[in-house]
Amino acid sequence: MTAPWNGLPDQPERSGWHWVKAHWNLSPRPYYWLSKDQVWYTEYGCQPPEEIISLKYSYFFPCPDPSELAQMRKVERERAAQVCERWAQACDAIYDLNPPDYSAGEADAWEDAAWAIRSLTDKPLHE
């Protein structure tokens, strides 16, 4: 069992957006934590941690900022590219064991997919 929430976000010394859920809402919403005043800004105005606790809010996690989101996407793209490369290696291994079972160009297609994934950027397709 986890300890009850103390009403503070992760890293309460930093202002920012966090996913928080009021017990009467079906899903979490982003609320802003203002560190200098140690208060939450909700749809009901400015609320200190004690009030948040008494109203049975639940804390989920901080909302990542744009640079954090970009880094997360970069890491995920690299993981996907590595999966493609492992498939290419598996195709090569199948060919080495039994050439008739090999689908011509399959390893190349997986290598191309890895390259294409690594070539993706965070720029929108259409501006």
Side-chain angles (χ1 to χ4, degrees):
M1 185 172 158
T2 60
W5 182 40
N6 65 3
L8 300 173
D10 288 347
Q11 301 179 345
E13 67 281 0
R14 292 178 57 196
S15 294
W17 291 95
H18 298 264
W19 289 103
V20 178
K21 181 185 175 301
H23 73 89
W24 58 86
N25 288 334
L26 295 176
S27 59
R29 295 180 181 186
Y31 291 127
Y32 192 79
W33 170 255
L34 183 61
S35 64
K36 73 177 178 86
D37 294 337
Q38 298 282 290
V39 294
W40 289 99
Y41 284 95
T42 70
E43 63 265 30
Y44 302 106
C46 178
Q47 295 179 289
E50 302 79 31
E51 191 173 333
I52 291 288
I53 293 168
S54 70
L55 293 172
K56 296 185 170 90
Y57 281 71
S58 302
Y59 181 78
F60 284 82
F61 46 83
C63 298
D65 66 33
S67 65
E68 291 170 324
L69 286 172
Q71 181 61 30
M72 291 165 63
R73 285 189 297 269
K74 182 179 176 183
V75 168
E76 284 303 307
R77 286 192 297 265
E78 180 56 29
R79 287 178 62 203
Q82 289 174 4
V83 168
C84 292
E85 288 174 339
R86 284 194 296 273
W87 274 107
Q89 292 167 359
C91 291
D92 286 338
I94 291 169
Y95 177 75
D96 292 342
L97 292 173
N98 192 359
D101 285 347
Y102 183 71
S103 173
E106 193 168 345
D108 291 340
W110 284 111
E111 288 290 340
D112 290 348
W115 178 86
I117 289 168
R118 285 191 177 106
S119 298
L120 294 171
T121 67
D122 286 338
K123 294 178 184 172
L125 295 176
H126 305 286
E127 292 190 53

